[in-house]
Amino acid sequence: LGFDYGYSITRPNTLTIWEAQFGDFSNGAQIMLDQFISCAEDKWKVMSGLVMLLPHGYEGQGAEHSSARLERYLQLCAQYNMQVVNCTTPANFFHVLRRQLKRDFRKPLVVFSPKSLLRHPLCTSTMEELASGEFQTIFDDENANAKQVKKLVFCSGKLYYELLQKREELKDNRTALVRLEQLYPLPIKQIEKLIKKYDVEKLIWAQEEPENMGAWSYLLTQLRAYPLELISRSASAATASGSSKDAAIRQAKIIDEVFKS
């Protein structure tokens, strides 16, 4: 990681990508993140366009294969020092990488992405979506009727597709599912616009991570003015269960909880 970080500084017009086979690979590189990647611009006015690809998603493969410690990166974010995203479409992933080089400045980009979306039948984009447009920081629910919606649910990553499938099974038209594609900088104006659009009493942040992890604590500080509720795994010492059966039960519980009245 240190080598790629240095390369990104000396070759700013090259798209430099460091990929962790699993999210926990970055745990051993924490010094590079804390001392250089997150704060070098503030300390030494050194800019970097390094991209870090971190697999992240609760797919029943155990603690070290589930979480890239999203909460740690969000704690390092301030003064527009980095970008943290969790893309849910191929087009949005392409455009966020394209944005790295099209901009006239450089910022580190941290991409959290579930491996299962590589094969998910709903996770697709058209050639037109790839060829035109730009990176979307947030996706509104195109299928929701604002007049019928009673519950607005914000989420990110692959959990969206699981919630979408459950909503279709239940034929639920009272729940809107909004995806946060960019977690930092948080698109607060767009979020507030959607909250005003749906005008509901029930605002939920749903996440796969335990309560003491993920984006929950960060969002609480960013959206203090709103009565945001949490649906997640219970607080835990480990990022995820080592049992695939236990993981499936916990995941189903989160999904069911979202659609309770």
Side-chain angles (χ1 to χ4, degrees), residues 107-120:
K107 298 283 183 179
L109 170 65
V110 186
V111 182
F112 290 83
S113 55
K115 288 194 170 184
S116 63
L117 291 191
L118 291 170
R119 301 172 296 279
H120 200 290

Side-chain angles (χ1 to χ4, degrees), residues 105-148:
F105 59 88
R106 296 289 178 258
K107 298 283 183 179
L109 170 65
V110 186
V111 182
F112 290 83
S113 55
K115 288 194 170 184
S116 63
L117 291 191
L118 291 170
R119 301 172 296 279
H120 200 290
L122 295 179
C123 185
T124 59
S125 297
T126 64
M127 290 299 295
E128 177 63 25
E129 289 169 332
L130 287 160
S132 61
E134 59 185 13
F135 176 68
Q136 301 297 313
T137 60
I138 190 169
F139 281 131
D140 189 9
D141 192 332
E142 297 179 352
N143 299 316
N145 184 334
K147 294 181 180 179
Q148 296 178 321

Side-chain angles (χ1 to χ4, degrees), residues 3 9 20 104 110 135 144 158 169-170 194 197 218-219 239 243 250:
F3 173 86
I9 294 172
D104 57 3
V110 186
F135 176 68
K158 80 172 184 65
E169 290 176 5
L170 297 173
L194 290 176
K197 169 188 172 181
Y218 161 73
L219 289 174
T239 52
S243 164
R250 294 179 183 181

Side-chain angles (χ1 to χ4, degrees), residues 8-22:
S8 72
I9 294 172
T10 57
R11 299 292 298 273
N13 294 322
T14 299
L15 184 63
T16 307
I17 299 176
W18 182 82
E19 181 181 14
Q21 185 177 357
F22 294 106

